[in-house]
Amino acid sequence: MLSPEERREIEAEFEHYPHKHALTIDAMKVVQKHRGWVSDEALKDISELLGVSVDELDSVATFYNLIFRKPVGRHVIMVCDSISCWMMGYDRLRDHLVKRLGVKMGETTPDGRFTLLPIVCLGTCDHAPAMMVDEDLHRDLDTEKIDSILEQYT
Amino acid sequence: MEKVLTRDVPADGSAFDIKRYELAGGYQGARKALKMTPKEVTEIIKQSGLRGRGGAGFPTGLKWSFVPGGPHAPHPKYLCCNADEMEPGTFKDRLLMESTPHQLIEGMVCAAYAIEADVAYIFLRGEYFLSAERLRIALAEAYEHGYLGKNILGSGYNLEMHLHLSGGRYMCGEETGLLNALEGKRANPRTKPPFPQISGLFGKPTIVQNVETLCNVHHIINKGPEWFKGLSRSEDGGTKLYGASGKVKRPGLWELPMGTTIREILEEHAGGMKEGLKFRGLLPGGASTDFLVEEHLDVKMDFTEVQKAGSRMGTGTMIVMDDRTCPVGFVKNLEHFFAQESCGWCTPCWSGLSWAEKMLASIECGEAQEADLERLAYICRFCAPGNTFCALAPGAVEPLQSALKYFREDFERHIREKRCPWR
Ligand SMILES: Cc1cc2nc3c(=O)[nH]c(=O)nc-3n(C[C@H](O)[C@H](O)[C@H](O)COP(=O)(O)O)c2cc1C
Ligand code: SF4
Ligand code: FES
């Protein structure tokens, strides 16, 4: 069941669109904000509210990069692997993160603290290489900087 | 050199709020526009020669004139601001949204009025949290001060404006993919015709326009088409946000007269190549443009001249490659992006691009044969404009086909030596 808060946040968007169907992505993002990810259970809840089939919700969910259909850690690290960051040292940063966290790209640390993911160009190519942790953008990175950034997230 | 779009960008990284914006002359363009007829506004934009800054460079006023107007036009009509900005190497719209959000809103009010739109959406990339926060504040301020909502500035014109955060996918930036995404669907493209100007969002007339394009609109209304043309050093009017990333001394973003040469941007603004490195080539306007090399450095960065040189100005943010970066690895990185972001709607794109990526990987690690270069060229031909549903695939092969032309020897050397000579 959607929590009253989730329901309120989704319904607040109703008046911005002529059809409830337009809210599939927003609704999944609301749920993800509260639960960390979008489970099959969550799809059912949203389906009831919006009148969109679970199957269609799933096809939308899997199309978009920012909707997680599997659980993630408390913090999601997204490292830009696009061209300018690649030229400015992406490989080195990735290897460093993989070693420090002891997980591969796409995995979550056993303590559930971090999930490590690649992301496409973060639109800050003049400060490459870059990564995002949750909603924070970190730029002009090197391995030392990464170490001190990781400490900020418990 | 007159700055227009970035004149009021606060040096401390803060946002220009409504008080400062109004003091600096903000919303005067909207006031002026709302006193004209929508047709007159469109006509001014047409005369200015403003061309879209999202990559394709289509004339903005002309696009608006395709929208049915007058008392019998279907409503609601929509204006969508394309703030998806996901093309690798592109980083210009973010600055405008983070620093001068009201500039975008004012441009959108004028554009929406010109096409008699009832509702406007800002389709924002999901990762741009700071832009989202600042746009949300600015939207609330604009409503509060009567620049949005019912009866704007007593003109009788009504406009609602909403912010939508994307779920994240490169295809959301494609005009019709964006409309599907806003309708809560997968961002597959739509067949044209009907064009969105006639039947777009929710089946109603719609204009999709880039952030930088929209930010120009109210300035043109305020100061006139001749002023706008005079800002430029070339046929295409206005200023342009140019950027450089990669192996230059001072990567960055600069507003300069349209038609500034590549050499001037590279040497004067970006400070030349990093110490000890030599220039090898560049993509002039994002990942989906053809390489330009040494012989093109004096080309003026505008839509016409860059096209004459065999590439596209695209978004005007260039990616600069040096002599120690492997061109094969460079193109492999790009094709990985395009293959991953292909929506899968048509075969040359979804199958061709991942095939290209695999072949580039095998060239890189020395397992390819001479014939593979022919196969890569073949994929490029099959992804040419007209062979696929949307412009993603033709854009994807632009850097590849030009790399095969300018850096062929590097590809051949990988094959001959059975290894990457750059490692
Ligand atoms: C795959 C793909 C992605 C695109 N991404 C963007 C984008 O992020 N922002 C943008 O303004 N235009 C993007 N475009 C271009 C749009 O389709 C469209 O031409 C543009 O938004 C029109 O606005 P303009 O005339 O103001 O440039 C993209 C095109 C394609 C094919
Ligand atoms: S060209 Fe690629 S992205 Fe465009 S419709 Fe075809 S498969 Fe989809
Ligand atoms: S390439 Fe990494 S931010 Fe653009």
Side-chain angles (χ1 to χ4, degrees), chain A residues 95-108:
Chain A
D95 293 349
H96 184 74
L97 278 163
V98 162
K99 206 164 116 204
R100 278 260 343 212
L101 301 176
V103 294
K104 293 202 210 74
M105 274 313 223
E107 293 179 350
T108 302

Side-chain angles (χ1 to χ4, degrees), chain B residues 52-178:
Chain B
R53 307 299 200 231
F58 193 82
T60 304
L62 184 63
K63 182 150 96 181
W64 297 358
S65 68
F66 300 145
V67 176
H72 304 295
H75 281 272
K77 287 194 256 181
Y78 297 99
L79 171 73
C80 299
C81 169
N82 193 341
D84 197 48
E85 193 150 270
M86 261 178 95
E87 174 139 328
T90 300
F91 53 98
K92 63 186 187 71
D93 296 338
R94 174 205 281 277
L95 173 81
L96 296 172
M97 295 185 284
E98 286 181 357
S99 60
T100 55
H102 281 288
Q103 182 169 233
L104 175 60
I105 295 172
E106 182 175 7
M108 287 182 71
V109 170
C110 298
Y113 178 73
I115 60 163
E116 303 173 296
D118 307 273
V119 183
Y121 292 101
I122 302 174
F123 188 99
L124 180 65
R125 179 158 184 200
E127 290 91 341
Y128 279 13
F129 291 101
L130 187 57
S131 300
E133 186 187 315
R134 292 185 170 174
L135 281 167
R136 263 193 213 111
I137 295 170
L139 282 170
E141 287 174 336
Y143 269 106
E144 219 172 90
H145 286 71
Y147 298 120
L148 286 175
K150 296 241 170 329
N151 192 16
I152 298 174
L153 299 170
S155 65
Y157 176 59
N158 309 326
L159 179 70
E160 299 298 326
M161 195 178 290
H162 309 299
L163 180 66
H164 171 93
L165 260 87
S166 173
R169 195 75 194 257
Y170 180 47
M171 271 305 291
C172 296
E174 198 276 337
E175 188 176 35
T176 58
L178 183 146

Side-chain angles (χ1 to χ4, degrees), chain B residues 171 188-189 341-347 349-350 388-394:
Chain B
M171 271 305 291
N188 295 116
E341 294 299 319
S342 165
C343 80
W345 220 225
C346 37
T347 310
C349 178
W350 71 259
T388 59
F389 234 97
C390 85
L392 185 142

